[in-house]
Amino acid sequence: MWYMNERVFAMLMLMAIIAVVVVVILLALYSLYVQLIQKKNKVKEAMGGIDVQLNKRYDLIPNILTIANKFMEHERGLMEDITKLRTQAAAIRSDANTIGQKMNLDNQIVSKMGQLMVNVENYPQLKSDQTMIQAMQTYSEVEEHIAAARRFYNSAVNDLNNAVEIFPSSMVAAMIGIRPYPFYEASEAARQRVNAADFFKK
């Protein structure tokens, strides 16, 4: 009888240990799941922040082009390209599937706007127009805000991608379908762009 009780007790202890181990594993997996979702949501929040700043740029571009259109008769093709790119980019809401396309369009806009700013040098009347000066100062401020929003996005993406790629959270990420997000990288033209406000200080 004593032997049976000892055996039952050992089995109960073993079952209790197994149950505790299972609970610990489940809690660990749930914790990893929660962390991954939080990191993914942080990336979404960062993408939303970029969209807000890009929309400010998209709202400002038509004003700049309207002012420039009065003076820059020989830059019609460039201004049409900017308008077309702005329309395409503004129609895209950033998410995991479209962020690459959005980045590409954004880099093209930055490049074309850089060309426009260089060409402003050839139009002294435009360069001295007070409305244009104010619009370009605002544009420069918006560009700074976009750069800050990109830094926040890249930081959030770095945290998420580390979690997605490093074991054991990589296992949970694979199970729930979370993939690495791309970093927001400036094109070569965007890296070399000149601050628009500089054109109106001379």
Side-chain angles (χ1 to χ4, degrees), residues 14-192:
L14 180 61
M15 289 173 64
I17 290 169
I18 291 171
V20 167
V21 169
V22 168
V23 168
V24 168
I25 290 171
L26 290 175
L27 286 173
L29 290 174
Y30 180 72
S31 175
L32 291 172
Y33 168 80
V34 168
Q35 289 174 33
L36 281 165
I37 296 300
Q38 288 173 335
K39 291 177 191 299
K40 182 181 177 183
N41 288 340
K42 198 74 173 174
V43 170
K44 287 182 177 179
E45 177 190 350
M47 278 193 294
I50 290 175
D51 277 344
V52 167
Q53 297 305 324
L54 289 178
N55 285 333
K56 287 182 182 178
R57 181 205 275 161
Y58 301 151
D59 291 342
L60 187 59
I61 285 174
N63 296 337
I64 292 170
L65 295 181
T66 299
I67 299 164
N69 197 39
K70 296 175 186 175
F71 300 94
M72 302 178 78
E73 297 174 4
H74 302 294
E75 317 300 338
R76 297 243 188 265
L78 177 59
M79 289 190 275
E80 286 171 6
D81 288 347
I82 293 170
T83 301
K84 193 181 299 180
L85 289 167
R86 174 204 171 272
T87 302
Q88 291 174 3
I92 299 172
R93 174 122 177 90
S94 297
D95 61 34
N97 299 317
T98 62
I99 188 69
Q101 185 183 3
K102 186 92 168 181
M103 289 177 190
N104 181 43
L105 288 169
D106 181 47
N107 284 333
Q108 289 182 60
I109 289 170
V110 169
S111 176
K112 295 288 185 182
M113 286 299 291
Q115 290 176 39
L116 184 71
M117 295 306 102
V118 168
N119 291 341
V120 164
E121 284 291 295
N122 301 321
Y123 298 86
Q125 275 184 294
L126 176 59
K127 196 177 164 189
S128 62
D129 183 271
Q130 287 303 312
T131 310
M132 187 64 163
I133 291 170
Q134 187 176 3
M136 294 314 304
Q137 286 171 343
T138 305
Y139 179 83
S140 293
E141 290 169 11
V142 169
E143 286 298 319
E144 288 173 14
H145 295 160
I146 290 171
R150 284 178 184 154
R151 286 192 296 272
F152 179 67
Y153 168 83
N154 280 344
S155 175
V157 165
N158 186 56
D159 286 345
L160 176 64
N161 288 356
N162 284 341
V164 168
E165 294 170 6
I166 297 173
F167 185 83
S169 56
S170 60
M171 184 177 62
V172 178
M175 288 190 312
I176 59 178
I178 296 180
R179 302 185 310 272
Y181 277 68
F183 286 98
Y184 220 117
E185 295 179 358
S187 66
E188 282 304 314
R191 287 191 188 102
Q192 295 169 5

Side-chain angles (χ1 to χ4, degrees), residues 7-17:
R7 191 172 172 190
V8 168
F9 178 76
M11 285 181 64
L12 289 173
M13 284 297 294
L14 180 61
M15 289 173 64
I17 290 169

